[in-house]
Amino acid sequence: MGTNADVAAIFREIADLLDLLGERFKPEAYRRAARSLEGLPEDLRLIAQRGELDAIPGVGEALRQKIDEYLTTGAIPYLAKLQAELPPGLVTLTRLPGLGPKTARRFWLELGIVGPTELTEAIAAGRLNGVKGFGPRKIELIRDALASASTPSHRLPLAEADRIAQGIVASLRSRAPLDAVEIAGSFRRCRETVGDLDVLVTSNEPEKVLDAFNSLPGKARQLMRGPTKATIVLEGELQVDLRVVAPEEFGAALQYFTGGKDHNVHLRSIARDRGLRINEYGVFRGEERVAGRTEEEVYATLGFPWIPPEIREDHGEIEAAAQGRLPHLVELGSLRGDLHVHLAPDASTTVIRSALAEASALGFEYVGFAVPLGEGAVPELARTIRTVPSERPRILLGAEVPSWEGASDPPDGFDYTIVTSPIEAGSSSRVRSAAKKSSRPPILFAHGSGGAPASAGRTPGSAGRSQLIASIVVGPDAPSRGWDSATLRGLAESGVEVALSADSPDGGQLDRLRLAVGLARRGWTTAATVTNARPWSARPGSKPPAGRDGPG
DNA sequence: GCCGTTTTCGGCCCGACTGTTTTCAGTCG
């Protein structure tokens, strides 16, 4: 897949191995670089060609050399060297909950245990009994962890996490006395996938909140519970953390638990430079709390405006905030229509009317239905849609074709073309010629490359911004159709427009649009480059409306 | 391994919780 993701994965693997070797700071250095690479809007090869690898945050001389090695040979020998020093099963042990590198290393060196199988056998044979640091409870926990290790935990698509999160919030609110409640973590940053949920609550009665949390519907087991925090695992293996804080700490806690890690580390180092200390309870000068009730307060104390959660990755947002040039990110309320709504081929006028009604409730000026074109014939669906009268929202028809070869002018009666094939490396010339052929813009391309930011980011850019629009679709099963935030940022920087869409007329449109907007915000997208944040008449490539407002 | 106009060496976020301790180490987020 993508070069950036490949190198990042290798760096993470190296970090795990260095952990096992007992290294103190190198592992985090490799992980920081890995996170940095994953957020790059551009392919490493292109950055290397310009000789700018060591301008990447977290990449110094040693890591630059390793990236170069990978780009020329396809491998990083240092990884193989480390792998040769350690039993291959050892890393697997550190994946078990509650078992980290220190313990795994002790198993290996003191007991000759080199993997899960050997550990299971050792416990069964009683070889851990009496070993320093391993009481009966700990041995029991490790045995449980080994037994449940077969169910791999995975990250959920944002849309699915959103459904679960809404259920948790509603359930807690109905059964416990709480004031503010917010889901922080990568969920709040609108990451494409979510590994766990961080629920943050203020309440005068933490005990009752923790009780309600512990009896959430769908709970599989409790991992831990203290006076102010608890962790449970839901059926389906999603981990949920709860934290109860005082109202005057809520902003600081929200900031702290929203992350991302690098953003927070950077922020804390700035605080330290200014004689301040920042943690989840507030910003402190000495013992005195100087901020903490709201996030705005926390950022203001450090001299920054509030930074939107979606871009808190230490990818330049702190510098932008310091210089007063944070982008004004697109908002749900910016949208004036949807350009990519799918209907069943035999959809009735009733279905179409209800889709229009939902769009109308959102205040939309237009709805664009995507109609797949068959063998030259205009399908029945297009004829049905045309029989439905609607002045507002206005009905638009998008002719959906599977490949760039068909991406010329849409047939009569259609307003634009949607190409559903992914943008891939090497498709640049085809995209360009398709864009040239069309006299009736715009063309939406509906799928990202999912891991080739360079091609997706540059191809449409080189084709010109006037006619090509990336369609960011958040459907129930397709979280973002291959568009990740790094790619989106690349699009935004090269001036390519995006269209944000909920895809489906079957209800829940608002939630999915919200997520599409969140993903776009993660990519630093402003309303200025969102096609459906403008009237249809002001779309890219369209002739400016004639009249006194027109040029000339 | 990275980083830095107060540093090119000496730092590197920090607090909650657990199990094992008799004052703390390891893990996690």
Side-chain angles (χ1 to χ4, degrees):
Chain A
M1 286 272 276
T3 312
N4 302 17
D6 289 344
V7 178
I10 292 175
F11 280 0
R12 284 184 197 282
E13 213 173 330
I14 290 175
D16 289 342
L17 296 170
L18 289 171
D19 260 338
L20 285 165
L21 288 171
E23 286 281 356
R24 283 268 281 152
F25 296 105
K26 284 187 194 179
E28 203 40 46
Y30 275 91
R31 290 195 184 98
R32 191 170 59 239
R35 288 193 294 273
S36 198
L37 296 188
E38 284 160 351
L40 287 177
E42 197 183 7
D43 193 282
L44 277 174
R45 293 180 192 283
L46 299 166
I47 301 172
Q49 280 165 19
R50 292 199 305 274
E52 293 173 0
L53 282 178
D54 36 21
I56 300 169
V59 175
E61 177 57 20
L63 294 194
R64 181 194 62 73
Q65 276 182 18
K66 291 185 174 66
I67 295 173
D68 270 334
E69 253 172 358
Y70 181 84
L71 293 179
T72 42
T73 69
I76 298 178
Y78 184 54
L79 173 62
K81 174 182 171 294
L82 293 176
Q83 282 169 334
E85 289 177 32
L86 290 157
L90 223 49
V91 173
T92 320
L93 286 182
T94 67
R95 305 261 192 271
L96 297 172
L99 208 160
K102 297 253 173 54
T103 312
R105 185 173 163 79
R106 278 195 61 199
F107 281 151
W108 173 42
L109 294 179
E110 294 176 23
L111 299 164
I113 293 167
V114 293
T117 312
E118 291 79 3
L119 181 55
T120 307
E121 289 167 2
I123 290 175
R127 287 179 55 214
L128 256 58
N129 302 337
V131 177
K132 185 163 175 284
F134 293 93
R137 176 70 181 147
K138 191 154 203 163
I139 293 174
E140 188 188 330
L141 287 173
I142 294 174
R143 191 192 293 119
D144 291 350
L146 281 164
S148 57
S150 51
T151 48
S153 66
H154 59 287
R155 299 180 67 88
L156 289 181
L158 183 60
E160 205 176 330
D162 185 57
R163 274 195 297 277
I164 297 171
Q166 290 192 29
I168 291 173
V169 170
S171 176
L172 284 180
R173 275 211 179 281
S174 70
R175 288 170 324 127
L178 41 95
D179 305 315
V181 55
E182 191 87 48
I183 314 270
S186 58
F187 175 82
R188 185 160 178 254
R189 301 202 311 279
C190 277
R191 273 193 63 170
E192 293 84 349
T193 61
V194 171
D196 61 7
L197 291 175
D198 300 292
V199 186
L200 198 61
V201 161
T202 64
S203 171
N204 294 324
E205 300 178 84
E207 276 299 310
K208 286 189 179 168
V209 180
L210 286 160
D211 286 342
F213 182 68
N214 202 28
S215 60
L216 275 180
K219 186 195 96 167
R221 59 185 185 278
Q222 181 189 75
L223 287 188
M224 164 285 258
R225 173 171 177 171
T228 63
K229 63 180 279 194
T231 299
I232 61 171
V233 176
L234 300 179
E235 291 155 12
E237 293 301 303
L238 181 69
Q239 183 172 316
V240 188
D241 299 321
L242 174 75
R243 197 67 184 241
V244 188
V245 299
E248 64 271 20
E249 300 164 345
F250 188 68
L254 187 55
Q255 196 288 318
Y256 183 90
F257 288 111
T258 297
K261 188 185 172 81
D262 296 317
H263 176 90
N264 282 359
V265 167
H266 192 165
L267 225 52
R268 282 195 285 274
S269 84
I270 289 173
R272 203 177 46 232
D273 292 346
R274 301 182 186 181
L276 299 166
R277 188 167 47 90
I278 178 168
N279 58 28
E280 62 258 60
Y281 302 109
V283 183
F284 296 87
R285 177 173 284 116
E287 292 302 303
E288 182 201 2
R289 183 210 309 275
V290 293
R293 188 170 289 271
T294 65
E295 280 194 334
E296 285 81 356
E297 214 178 82
V298 170
Y299 281 104
T301 308
L302 299 173
F304 299 130
W306 180 79
I307 298 176
E310 295 92 341
I311 61 171
R312 295 183 195 165
E313 301 287 349
D314 199 24
H315 290 163
E317 73 282 2
I318 293 176
E319 291 80 0
Q323 296 160 14
R325 48 173 186 85
L326 273 179
H328 187 74
L329 302 178
V330 63
E331 291 163 13
L332 187 59
S334 314
L335 302 187
R336 299 195 184 208
D338 191 325
L339 286 169
H340 203 155
V341 177
H342 282 112
L343 296 166
D346 59 350
S348 65
T349 55
T350 313
V351 171
I352 295 164
R353 284 202 182 87
S354 97
L356 291 167
E358 199 178 355
S360 177
L362 291 167
F364 281 178
E365 296 165 13
Y366 51 89
V367 175
F369 292 104
V371 179
L373 288 193
E375 298 291 311
V378 173
E380 191 59 33
L381 178 59
R383 281 191 278 273
T384 311
I385 294 172
R386 284 177 197 149
T387 65
V388 179
S390 178
E391 285 201 6
R392 189 190 166 95
R394 174 185 170 184
I395 294 175
L396 301 169
L397 282 183
E400 197 171 81
V401 298
S403 74
W404 288 104
E405 278 73 19
S408 55
D409 281 352
D412 282 347
F414 286 80
D415 300 284
Y416 55 97
T417 305
I418 299 172
V419 181
T420 58
S421 80
I423 297 283
E424 281 159 1
S427 62
S428 151
S429 60
R430 281 193 294 156
V431 174
R432 225 184 336 257
S433 74
K436 267 186 197 153
K437 271 193 289 179
S438 175
S439 61
R440 202 180 327 162
I443 292 173
L444 307 186
F445 53 99
H447 296 270
S449 58
S455 57
R458 296 175 67 86
T459 298
S462 56
R465 61 169 287 180
S466 63
Q467 296 173 315
L468 293 163
I469 301 166
S471 181
I472 313 305
V473 178
V474 172
D477 306 313
S480 60
R481 293 272 168 80
W483 299 112
D484 57 62
S485 56
T487 305
L488 291 178
R489 188 159 177 199
L491 292 179
E493 283 173 0
S494 54
V496 176
E497 300 226 344
V498 299
L500 305 179
S501 176
D503 185 6
S504 170
D506 63 356
Q509 196 172 356
L510 181 60
D511 281 340
R512 289 203 289 277
L513 275 174
R514 196 165 43 74
L515 298 179
V517 169
L519 289 167
R521 287 169 64 88
R522 254 185 96 65
W524 292 54
T525 306
T526 67
T529 58
V530 174
T531 306
N532 53 325
R534 288 199 301 270
W536 174 244
S537 60
R539 68 192 179 277
S542 65
K543 300 224 165 38
R548 55 196 162 85
D549 291 331

